């Protein structure tokens, strides 16, 4: 890392002051891509900070819309934004704050709907979340593709900011207790198709807690993109009631479920979810792993739904995790339908001419192929150019 002091004209360069910071590399900041997951109280503050610093590319991910109760803690939102997607309002205000910043918005459920490869192609991941489930998802993704992430949590005047780095210190899941798993488990209590039941954690907090914790998160991300030292597996604990700030190190859990890496990941720059068929991907796998190679999905793919009552059969081709409970009801007679599921593509299927997108594969997904002994993880890298396009 070079440490050149570049002093510019304060009247013409908005980053002039940063030039006096010995380690600050505006070019590094300008060329960085940061994924911010969650555009709520923490996300607003983090995005504001990243915009002011001139981060080159921001990928803003959130599934929510704005309501009036967000306005007390969200510097980027206005009363007129009610009902808008949080990502859209946040992106607009980020551009107002700093037109140099390129933004891409993504509206969806981070647990199931973002391709794992997206996480590989950003320089830092900042979680601005209010629930354990999404933190656990990001933590597992981070381990799977071996990239650090910065977590933040706030409640009343308390806050935590922490960096988790696969293989270096404890991870988020290492910190979870039995009670945490019970709370996460509520989400899955009605096993399938139960997304309607999610209760979003409405955690009482203040704009001050959000700005304090988000400031620490942003600083940690800034260190990450500069390749500076961070303290993975340690938390910065902030108690705003007593003004205590201290760090604490989490113990590593020996049999932590998150400690699993996808290896090897093979990039397929010529493969896209929109144009490549299952058959074509299977051919690639068979070239690499032999004629017995099969593709395997993490979750179940709902191929069809069949009504036991009126006999109606409908092709579905959606991943089960993305379906809502009410979609199981037969549109003709209302009976709960049976599902034809698969998570294994062996070459005998009658839908091999479907593209990856047509079987509900998100852009930049990573798909496992195996032949019984060896495994390869294929990244649909051809999506990178279209998906990771910042404006
Ligand atoms: Zn762990
Ligand atoms: Zn029916």
């Amino acid at each position: 890392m070079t440490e050149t002091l570049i002093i510019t004209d304060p009247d013409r360069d908005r980053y002039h002051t940063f030039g006096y910071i010995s380690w600050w590399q505006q070019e590094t900041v300008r060329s960085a891509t940061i994924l911010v997951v969650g555009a709520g109280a923490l996300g607003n503050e983090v995005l504001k900070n990243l915009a002011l610093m001139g981060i080159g590319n921001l990928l803003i991910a959130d599934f929510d819309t704005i309501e009036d109760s967000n306005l007390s803690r969200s510097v980027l939102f206005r009363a007129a934004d009610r009902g808008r997607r949080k990502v859209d309002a946040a992106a607009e205000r980020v551009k107002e704050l700093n037109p140099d910043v390129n933004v891409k918005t993504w509206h969806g459920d981070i647990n199931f709907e973002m391709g794992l490869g997206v996480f590989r192609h950003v320089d830092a991941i900042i979680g601005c979340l209010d629930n354990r489930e999404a933190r656990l998802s990001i933590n597992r993704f981070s381990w799977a593709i071996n990239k650090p992430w910065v977590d933040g949590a706030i409640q009343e005047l308390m806050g935590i900011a922490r960096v988790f780095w696969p293989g270096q210190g404890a991870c988020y899941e290492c910190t979870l207790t039995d009670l945490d798993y019970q709370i996460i488990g509520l989400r899955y209590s009605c096993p399938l198709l139960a997304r309607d039941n999610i209760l979003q954690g409405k955690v009482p907090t203040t704009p001050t807690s959000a700005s304090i914790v988000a400031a620490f998160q942003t600083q940690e991300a800034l260190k990450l993109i500069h390749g500076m030292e961070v303290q993975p597996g340690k938390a910065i604990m902030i108690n705003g009631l007593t003004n205590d700030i201290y760090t604490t190190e989490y113990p590593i859990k020996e049999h932590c479920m998150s400690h699993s890496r996808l290896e090897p990941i093979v990039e397929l720059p010529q493969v896209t979810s929109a144009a490549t068929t299952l058959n074509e991907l299977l051919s690639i796998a068979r070239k690499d792993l032999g004629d017995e190679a099969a593709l395997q999905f993490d979750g179940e793919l709902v191929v069809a739904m069949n009504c036991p009552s009126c006999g109606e059969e409908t092709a579905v081709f959606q991943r089960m995790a993305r379906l809502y409970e009410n979609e199981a009801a037969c549109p003709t007679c209302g009976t709960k339908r049976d599902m034809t599921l698969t998570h294994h593509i062996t070459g005998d299927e009658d839908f091999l001419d479907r593209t990856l997108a047509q079987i509900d594969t998100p852009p930049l997904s990573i798909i496992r192929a195996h032949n019984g002994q060896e495994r390869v993880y294929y990244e649909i890298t051809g999506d990178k150019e279209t998906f990771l396009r910042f404006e």
Side-chain angles (χ1 to χ4, degrees):
M1 189 168 66
T2 53
E3 293 193 353
T4 322
L5 217 56
I6 301 167
I7 305 304
T8 54
D9 178 358
D11 201 33
R12 310 196 45 183
D13 177 18
R14 66 159 69 212
Y15 311 112
H16 169 80
T17 314
F18 299 151
Y20 292 99
I21 301 173
S22 63
W23 49 266
W24 188 290
Q25 299 294 324
Q26 195 61 44
E27 208 33 59
T28 300
V29 173
R30 190 195 309 277
S31 59
T33 299
I34 296 188
L35 166 60
V36 178
V37 187
L42 284 173
N44 264 255
E45 288 291 326
V46 163
L47 289 166
K48 178 260 289 175
N49 292 335
L50 295 173
L52 293 177
M53 296 191 308
I55 296 287
N57 304 297
L58 293 180
L59 173 55
I60 311 173
D62 194 283
F63 69 95
D64 210 0
T65 53
I66 297 169
E67 47 190 50
D68 279 355
S69 64
N70 301 131
L71 296 175
S72 62
R73 295 173 314 285
S74 307
V75 68
L76 303 177
F77 301 157
R78 308 286 176 264
D81 292 326
R82 185 197 293 138
R84 293 180 75 192
R85 293 172 167 193
K86 286 183 175 174
V87 288
D88 294 336
E92 199 176 293
R93 302 289 141 55
V94 160
K95 293 292 276 186
E96 268 173 37
L97 272 175
N98 187 349
D100 294 348
V101 178
N102 300 314
V103 178
K104 177 185 168 70
T105 59
W106 183 86
H107 183 86
D109 182 342
I110 199 75
N111 298 293
F112 307 107
E113 295 179 340
M114 188 179 270
L116 198 46
V118 175
F119 295 86
R120 287 186 73 227
H121 292 282
V122 298
D123 298 303
I125 303 157
I126 308 182
C128 299
L129 304 157
D130 62 1
N131 67 88
R132 292 168 179 78
E133 184 198 11
R135 284 193 182 92
L136 184 55
S137 291
I138 290 182
N139 189 66
R140 288 181 176 174
F141 301 156
S142 136
W143 251 95
I145 55 98
N146 192 20
K147 184 150 290 188
W149 71 286
V150 186
D151 182 37
I154 46 178
Q155 184 163 6
E156 298 183 15
L157 298 187
M158 322 277 261
I160 304 177
R162 49 199 178 179
V163 176
F164 294 115
W165 196 317
Q168 298 185 41
C171 77
Y172 172 70
E173 187 158 9
C174 290
T175 73
L176 295 185
T177 62
D178 289 347
L179 179 64
D180 291 315
Y181 282 111
Q182 274 175 35
I183 293 168
I184 294 166
L186 285 179
R187 154 76 177 73
Y188 296 103
S189 56
C190 177
L192 313 173
L193 306 180
R195 287 209 316 173
D196 286 355
N197 303 334
I198 309 176
L199 277 178
Q200 270 315 304
K202 294 276 181 207
V203 183
T205 185
T206 61
T208 50
S209 290
S211 57
I212 292 166
V213 169
F216 276 108
Q217 286 183 278
T218 314
Q219 284 182 178
E220 294 307 302
L222 187 68
K223 293 181 204 167
L224 284 175
I225 62 173
H226 277 88
M228 295 163 74
E229 196 182 326
V230 292
Q231 298 183 319
K234 272 191 180 178
I236 306 161
M237 312 286 289
I238 301 140
N239 183 336
L241 281 175
T242 58
N243 291 344
D244 282 318
I245 299 184
Y246 59 97
T247 58
T248 183
E249 188 166 1
Y250 298 105
I252 299 171
K253 222 190 265 172
E254 202 184 335
H255 300 292
C256 177
M257 302 260 290
S258 280
H259 301 181
S260 161
R261 195 161 294 165
L262 304 188
E263 276 177 326
I265 295 175
V266 173
E267 297 191 350
L268 298 177
Q270 76 282 20
V271 171
T272 64
S273 50
T276 305
T277 63
L278 266 178
N279 211 5
E280 287 163 340
L281 186 61
L282 194 60
S283 302
I284 293 170
R286 293 193 163 165
K287 242 178 243 156
D288 290 345
L289 297 170
D291 289 344
E292 300 301 306
L295 305 174
Q296 200 180 4
F297 308 132
D298 274 340
E300 296 291 340
L301 176 71
V302 181
V303 175
M305 288 203 203
N306 325 287
C307 180
S309 173
C310 72
E312 189 170 301
E313 177 167 335
T314 319
V316 178
F317 294 104
Q318 261 194 296
R319 279 171 307 132
M320 188 153 70
R322 301 213 314 125
L323 286 172
Y324 289 88
E325 206 167 10
N326 58 15
E327 292 175 89
C330 173
T332 308
C333 73
T335 309
K336 191 171 178 195
R337 291 178 289 176
D338 299 327
M339 294 182 288
T340 308
L341 306 174
T342 186
H343 61 269
H344 223 173
I345 302 296
T346 58
D348 298 331
E349 294 75 11
D350 59 4
F351 53 87
L352 293 175
D353 56 345
R354 285 188 166 252
T355 64
L356 299 174
Q358 285 167 342
I359 59 155
D360 202 19
T361 308
L364 269 167
S365 282
I366 295 178
I367 298 174
R368 185 189 301 118
H370 70 95
N371 62 10
Q373 289 114 38
E374 292 165 279
R375 275 181 296 193
V376 170
Y377 294 89
Y378 290 118
E379 183 191 82
I380 312 308
T381 315
D383 288 337
K384 188 181 163 191
E385 208 170 305
T386 43
F387 186 84
L388 283 178
R389 180 175 290 168
F390 295 87
E391 283 164 6

